Amino acid sequence: MVKQSPIPLLTDGKRVDGRLPEEHRPVTMQVGVLPNANGSALVAYGNTVVLAAVYGPREPIPRYITVPDKAVVRVRYHMAPFSTDDRKNPAPTRREIEISKVVKQALEAVVFLEQYPKSTIDVFLEVLQADGSTRVTSITAASLALADAGIPMRDLVVGVSVGKINDTVIVDLNKLEDNYGDGDLPIAIAYRNNWVLLMQLDGVWKPSEVKRGLELAFKAAENIYRNMREALKGRYMAVVQQ
Amino acid sequence: MQEPSVSRALVTPGEELGVEEEYLPGDNAYVDSGYVKSMVLGIAEWDRVNHVVNVKPLKLSLIRPGQIVYGKVYYFPSDKVAMVRIFAVQQQDGVRRIQAETGILYVTYASEERLGTIYDAVGLGDLIKARVLSSKPPYHISLRGPSLGVVETKCPQCRAVIVPSSTSGKITCPVCGFVFRRKAAPS
């Protein structure tokens, strides 16, 4: 049975929250929000809020996970019980384990792991409020927190979600569009290198729609990337001026 | 007016700092597709005389060789080796606590003199000040040097806390008069 949205997702070219198809929700970022973490970031894509904390590089525990010539990245994506409308069981679900894995793989591609042999870099991602696109918001937050921790990276990673309502390709899905839309295409982009580090696809897409989705994702990533740089520079400009 | 030979700016990871033909990548910089790029969030310094660009990271997150660290002896796997839990690092502006890392102290690095066993240099529970020798965990550490050694110990007989005041190899307990050996660092 096909799921039916309680309200139309697209009316006269406008989405449920009044945005245009290629319009991203407002993005806010804060860096260095947790004093005890080596690096941290709080990122919001509209009502979706993710807190990221990075600990390390540090000694791996348990020791058997140690790799002699490079660091090990561990990622824990978790949705807080209060982040959704109905209480979410805090135990890790299949979905959370999968997202942890794909975020880890996206981050591994940009971190200079060989700089820290026999070490581990732990990334904790806590979704505080979920309104769609949590995995891409988490990727942006994780990348900012890694940069804040002073970990050598090739680039900052930007997460953008693309979706489909009927034949219209849209950017940055909210919860309704995520649940009742016709497709979902989360993308992680190393913006300066033009690398796609994560690309998952749900639904039935024509090649032209995927192409259009990628175009829109790169366009949206430009703005988010600029926000990320401003957040990092804004946090540390005072230190530099001293 | 003459242009300064070094210019600085705050840069983020992946930011282009120049082209390969003009600058060599120095610390925390790398070359990708002909561009010199920053690896870390930090202050880039363009040295126009030597044509090198370095990036000074804003956060140093790892113990490096040569650094002075503080730790606690927690285990002796044999009479030649002591395991140390490193919990603080000496920096220019003071001592900073870090997440605990493991240090290994081998008997040949425990003193300038030749020692029979590690027990002649450190005891269980001693707080020590040491120099880091290796670049990856577990860190090899050394007590060789006039300012390095045990900074706080306990009398093996009466358990009185003793802060050594001289670098001599023997410590006398001020409470019970018991004499024991340690590689002491003057407070």
Side-chain angles (χ1 to χ4, degrees), chain A residues 38-51:
Chain A
N38 294 106
S40 59
L42 186 69
V43 175
Y45 283 13
N47 290 332
T48 299
V49 183
V50 177
L51 178 67

Side-chain angles (χ1 to χ4, degrees), chain A residues 32 36-40 55-60 63 68-69 112 115-119 147-156 192-193 195 225 228-229 232-237 239-240, chain B residues 8-16 28-30 32-33 37-43 57-63 74 83-86 96 99-103 135-140:
Chain A
N36 283 2
N38 294 106
S40 59
Y55 294 85
R58 63 180 178 183
E59 215 170 292
R63 302 235 168 159
D69 58 347
F112 284 92
Q115 296 249 337
Y116 300 109
K118 293 186 177 180
S119 305
D148 181 45
I151 289 167
M153 295 162 78
R154 290 178 179 84
D155 206 344
L156 294 174
R192 278 187 179 259
N193 288 297
W195 293 342
Y225 178 76
M228 289 170 86
R229 280 187 60 195
L232 285 170
K233 291 195 171 181
R235 171 83 170 82
Y236 290 104
M237 198 47 95
V239 181
V240 176
Chain B
R8 295 181 177 86
L10 183 60
V11 293
T12 53
E15 205 166 312
E16 281 123 23
N28 297 305
Y30 72 104
D32 178 35
S33 315
K37 294 180 177 179
S38 167
M39 277 184 182
V40 293
L41 174 71
I43 301 164
L58 289 173
K59 283 190 179 176
L60 296 170
S61 50
L62 201 66
I63 296 171
Y74 71 94
M83 301 301 286
V84 178
R85 180 73 66 217
I86 300 169
R96 186 170 66 97
Q99 285 169 2
E101 299 274 359
T102 304
S135 59
K136 55 191 174 186
Y139 296 95
H140 288 265

Side-chain angles (χ1 to χ4, degrees), chain A:
Chain A
M1 201 178 89
V2 182
K3 292 179 291 180
Q4 191 66 45
S5 172
I7 45 171
L9 295 176
L10 203 63
T11 321
D12 301 331
K14 291 236 172 157
R15 292 154 67 178
V16 277
D17 48 9
R19 284 184 289 155
L20 293 170
E22 64 277 6
E23 201 178 326
H24 205 284
R25 286 176 290 183
V27 178
T28 54
M29 292 172 190
Q30 245 182 301
V31 175
V33 289
L34 299 176
N36 283 2
N38 294 106
S40 59
L42 186 69
V43 175
Y45 283 13
N47 290 332
T48 299
V49 183
V50 177
L51 178 67
V54 170
Y55 294 85
R58 63 180 178 183
E59 215 170 292
I61 293 172
R63 302 235 168 159
Y64 65 80
I65 67 160
T66 307
V67 178
D69 58 347
K70 63 176 186 177
V72 175
V73 177
R74 285 189 292 190
V75 176
R76 176 186 181 263
Y77 164 97
H78 182 250
M79 291 181 88
F82 50 83
S83 64
T84 46
D85 290 343
D86 298 326
R87 179 183 180 273
K88 191 232 154 238
N89 186 333
T93 59
R94 180 209 58 78
R95 176 180 168 274
E96 282 168 314
I97 294 165
E98 181 216 309
I99 293 177
S100 303
K101 178 182 174 284
V102 296
V103 173
K104 176 191 156 189
Q105 287 176 333
L107 297 175
E108 275 176 342
V110 290
V111 176
F112 284 92
L113 297 173
E114 63 280 6
Q115 296 249 337
Y116 300 109
K118 293 186 177 180
S119 305
T120 175
I121 299 166
D122 293 326
V123 183
F124 296 94
L125 301 163
E126 193 71 23
V127 179
L128 302 179
Q129 195 165 271
D131 186 22
S133 309
T134 57
R135 84 181 66 193
V136 290
T137 314
S138 301
I139 288 172
T140 306
S143 167
L144 260 184
L146 282 169
D148 181 45
I151 289 167
M153 295 162 78
R154 290 178 179 84
D155 206 344
L156 294 174
V157 187
V158 184
V160 185
S161 69
V162 174
K164 210 175 87 156
I165 301 169
N166 302 326
D167 290 332
T168 310
V169 180
I170 57 166
V171 172
D172 187 30
L173 282 63
N174 61 25
K175 193 182 152 199
L176 271 177
E177 292 163 342
D178 209 356
N179 289 351
Y180 300 106
D182 297 307
D184 183 6
L185 179 65
I187 299 169
I189 298 165
Y191 182 73
R192 278 187 179 259
N193 288 297
N194 277 342
W195 293 342
V196 174
L197 305 176
L198 165 78
M199 191 169 158
Q200 294 181 299
L201 192 138
D202 178 31
V204 181
W205 292 63
K206 293 177 200 151
S208 60
E209 286 170 342
V210 174
K211 204 177 160 191
R212 170 82 179 141
L214 277 167
E215 276 170 17
L216 290 179
F218 271 87
K219 208 172 151 192
E222 188 183 341
N223 245 335
I224 300 168
Y225 178 76
R226 202 180 310 129
N227 275 352
M228 289 170 86
R229 280 187 60 195
E230 277 167 15
L232 285 170
K233 291 195 171 181
R235 171 83 170 82
Y236 290 104
M237 198 47 95
V239 181
V240 176
Q241 281 163 354
Q242 277 171 18

Side-chain angles (χ1 to χ4, degrees), chain B residues 1-2 18 58 65 97 139 182:
Chain B
M1 209 175 91
Q2 202 182 350
L58 289 173
R97 272 199 84 104
Y139 296 95
R182 289 285 184 273

